[in-house]
């Protein structure tokens, strides 16, 4: 009669389609106790502006994953790159979900979400010293079987030219495992052969490194990698809170230099800001981290849009076949305490996502900006929430 539509779940996403892979790094470490090195959302209580727009959410909940998918694809972000950690004691053994650090965001939430197949995903093998690494035997006998069955064979995994894409963080650890680059390249080739036996045409390996130049760069790439990328932008501010024009120019100038060195094998990474103030504490210093030495910098949403536009123009001008024309990286979806995030927040709302939509899509859709709170669904996103008992005691 009144054309009222009542909904009791996340509204169906209305995607805005970019002309390439627009991928964002995803850090699923906000379930209390899961990270092992920080307190999750407990560490943000002194920073209310960093509160996610829907509040402190249940990271294991597929419904929350559907909200994230909706927010992302309605603004042109079409791939989440999940940080993937194995526990150190799992080295050399068959992998199960229980052997993962922070695997809940991917396995419990995202892969069980209703809209999962609308969003591409990939994994980034977190190979830093606190977590488990691999070797020539283990990568083929344990990692590849788990990755293929749980990720690569899913229809929404990031596959290019019928090859699964694997991102790798902290390549220095693998250099310890394989001191001779030829041995690492051979191990990666074994992975490619394994993938072929599973119906693919090989594998694509990306390496997180934007520092190596000259001979060091060629030595790095000879280890079997197909492209390199950054977890954040290579830009580092010389002083705290530099003028925004310097932030914009610094990010774009660094990308131009990378493309000048190698136009074919470098992915652009655009960052919104970097402010790890919550990690300046003694707790982090005692673990050997030096976030307190970081220079803080910000690009406003409008400044971020300018960075996106200029980086996209540079990428579009690359030679045919360049990796930078195929994948554009964004930093970061949800690094709430490390201080770089484009997910909707109380401080910035949807503004960083809107910048992505403006620069990478034709804006042919109409994003739905109702929050879970607006729809009366926010209680579903926090499993610790309980209906209060108002009965007389």
């Amino acid at each position: 009669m009144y054309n009222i539509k009542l909904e009791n779940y996340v509204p169906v996403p209305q995607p805005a389609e970019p002309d390439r892979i627009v991928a964002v790094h995803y850090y699923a470490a906000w379930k209390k106790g899961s990270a092992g090195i920080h307190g999750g959302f407990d560490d943000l209580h002194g920073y209310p502006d960093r509160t996610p727009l829907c509040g402190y959410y249940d990271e294991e909940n597929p419904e929350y994953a559907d909200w994230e998918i909706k927010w992302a694809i309605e603004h042109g972000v079409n791939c989440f790159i999940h940080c993937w950690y194995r526990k150190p004691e799992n080295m050399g053994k068959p992998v199960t979900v229980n052997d993962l650090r922070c695997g809940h965001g991917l396995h419990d939430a995202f892969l069980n979400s209703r809209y999962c197949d609308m969003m591409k995903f990939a994994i980034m093998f977190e190979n830093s010293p606190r977590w488990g690494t691999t070797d020539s035997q283990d990568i083929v006998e344990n990692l590849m079987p788990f990755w293929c069955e749980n990720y690569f064979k899913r229809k929404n995994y990031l596959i290019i030219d019928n090859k699964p894409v694997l991102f790798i963080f902290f390549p220095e650890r693998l250099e310890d495992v394989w001191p001779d680059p030829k041995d690492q390249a051979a191990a990666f080739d074994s992975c490619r052969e394994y993938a072929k036996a599973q119906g693919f045409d090989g594998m694509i390996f990306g390496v997180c490194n934007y520092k190596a130049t000259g001979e060091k760069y060629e030595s790095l790439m000879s280890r079997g990698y197909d492209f390199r990328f950054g977890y954040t932008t290579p830009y580092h501010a010389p002083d705290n809170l530099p003028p925004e024009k310097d932030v914009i120019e610094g990010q774009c100038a660094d990308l131009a230099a990378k493309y000048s060195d190698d136009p074919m094998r470098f992915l652009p990474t655009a960052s919104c800001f970097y402010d790890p103030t919550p990690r300046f504490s003694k707790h982090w210093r005692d673990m050997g981290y030096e976030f307190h030495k970081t220079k803080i910098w910000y690009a406003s949403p409008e400044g971020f849009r300018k960075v996106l536009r200029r980086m996209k123009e540079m990428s579009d001008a690359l030679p045919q076949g360049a990796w930078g024309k195929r994948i554009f990286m964004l930093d970061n979806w949800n690094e709430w305490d490390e201080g770089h995030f484009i997910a909707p927040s109380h401080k910035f709302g949807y503004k960083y996502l809107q910048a992505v939509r403006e620069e990478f899509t034709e804006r042919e859709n109409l994003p739905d900006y109702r929050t879970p709170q607006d729809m009366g669904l926010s209680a579903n996103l926090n499993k610790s929430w309980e209906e209060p008992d108002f009965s007389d005691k």
Side-chain angles (χ1 to χ4, degrees):
M1 177 177 177
Y2 295 105
N3 198 29
I4 296 175
K5 183 179 181 181
L6 299 178
E7 297 176 279
N8 58 9
Y9 194 72
V10 184
V12 177
Q14 304 299 320
E17 301 289 351
D19 64 353
R20 69 200 69 196
I21 300 298
V22 179
V24 62
H25 291 291
Y26 190 102
Y27 179 55
W30 304 103
K31 173 186 173 183
K32 190 169 184 177
S34 67
I37 57 174
H38 62 76
F41 286 130
D42 283 355
D43 292 359
L44 298 182
H45 294 329
Y47 304 89
D49 58 335
R50 299 186 185 217
T51 304
L53 195 60
C54 68
Y56 295 152
Y57 49 85
D58 173 12
E59 203 170 46
E60 297 174 290
N61 190 338
E63 183 170 341
Y64 179 72
D66 277 328
W67 282 106
E68 292 190 306
I69 291 167
K70 178 179 177 62
W71 293 327
I73 63 177
E74 289 190 343
H75 292 87
V77 179
N78 57 7
C79 183
F80 284 141
I81 303 174
H82 277 257
C83 296
W84 191 91
Y85 309 81
R86 72 190 305 192
K87 296 175 182 177
E89 58 270 22
N90 180 243
M91 173 70 183
K93 303 174 184 176
V95 184
T96 71
V97 174
N98 291 333
D99 297 312
L100 307 184
R101 172 191 182 255
C102 298
H104 56 277
L106 180 55
H107 284 267
D108 294 334
F110 180 79
L111 294 179
N112 286 301
S113 62
R114 183 178 300 182
Y115 305 134
C116 173
D117 288 343
M118 299 180 72
M119 182 78 171
K120 294 185 184 298
F121 79 102
I123 59 170
M124 180 167 70
F125 180 24
E126 291 273 2
N127 189 59
S128 52
R130 291 183 181 275
W131 322 120
T133 186
T134 190
D135 58 29
S136 296
Q137 181 176 350
D138 174 75
I139 196 170
V140 175
E141 294 184 359
N142 297 312
L143 292 184
M144 283 296 295
F146 184 85
W147 290 340
C148 277
E149 293 304 316
N150 287 274
Y151 312 134
F152 299 165
K153 291 183 179 180
R154 297 186 67 101
K155 64 182 180 180
N156 61 328
Y157 193 83
L158 180 59
I159 306 289
I160 296 178
D161 300 331
N162 198 33
K163 300 174 183 178
V165 181
L166 179 72
F167 297 82
I168 293 180
F169 187 80
F170 211 86
E172 296 84 356
R173 188 98 178 274
L174 297 186
E175 292 170 18
D176 292 336
V177 174
W178 294 292
D180 187 335
K182 293 180 181 178
D183 292 336
Q184 182 176 334
F188 282 8
D189 283 343
S190 295
C191 293
R192 292 183 172 99
E193 292 303 314
Y194 185 98
K196 289 178 181 179
Q198 300 297 312
F200 299 105
D201 290 333
M203 286 272 296
I204 294 169
F205 292 90
V207 58
C208 185
N209 179 286
Y210 44 64
K211 296 180 180 178
T213 58
E215 291 184 5
K216 288 185 178 180
Y217 174 53
E218 293 304 327
S219 176
L220 172 72
M221 300 306 288
S222 72
R223 290 177 166 273
Y225 299 112
D226 296 282
F227 63 77
R228 65 172 174 159
F229 66 94
Y231 187 65
T232 63
T233 180
Y235 171 73
H236 293 282
D239 299 295
N240 272 323
L241 299 174
E244 182 171 75
K245 63 180 179 61
D246 293 350
V247 172
I248 296 169
E249 186 58 38
Q251 291 198 62
C252 295
D254 195 279
L255 179 62
K258 295 294 188 300
Y259 281 166
S260 177
D261 288 343
D262 183 356
M264 303 304 292
R265 296 179 292 181
F266 190 75
L267 301 187
T269 302
S271 291
C272 48
F273 54 89
Y274 194 80
D275 180 0
T277 304
R279 293 191 175 187
F280 283 9
S281 66
K282 183 176 182 296
H283 166 75
W284 287 95
R285 295 197 299 272
D286 287 346
M287 287 193 295
Y289 292 97
E290 296 186 334
F291 290 106
H292 59 291
K293 296 182 179 181
T294 300
K295 303 300 182 185
I296 296 168
W297 57 269
Y298 278 83
S300 67
E302 175 60 20
F304 183 59
R305 188 186 65 78
K306 293 177 181 178
V307 172
L308 294 173
R309 174 171 293 184
R310 288 179 58 182
M311 286 188 172
K312 182 176 181 294
E313 289 172 349
M314 285 189 279
S315 300
D316 287 345
L318 292 172
Q320 197 63 31
W323 279 103
K325 293 174 77 82
R326 308 180 80 174
I327 304 176
F328 195 102
M329 310 280 281
L330 302 174
D331 163 42
N332 182 285
W333 184 258
N334 58 347
E335 281 277 15
W336 300 110
D337 69 344
E338 195 171 274
H340 40 124
F341 50 86
I342 64 171
S345 66
H346 276 265
K347 184 170 185 177
F348 297 110
Y350 300 89
K351 291 179 180 178
Y352 286 110
L353 285 175
Q354 288 168 332
V356 177
R357 179 174 177 267
E358 289 168 5
E359 296 304 323
F360 281 92
T361 78
E362 296 297 326
R363 289 166 275 178
E364 67 274 26
N365 67 335
L366 181 64
D368 184 346
Y369 290 115
R370 290 175 296 173
T371 65
Q373 292 90 331
D374 294 332
M375 297 181 63
L377 300 176
S378 59
N380 298 349
L381 305 184
N382 187 338
K383 70 179 181 181
S384 66
W385 188 92
E386 295 180 359
E387 185 73 35
D389 182 2
F390 295 112
S391 61
D392 292 334
K393 301 285 184 166

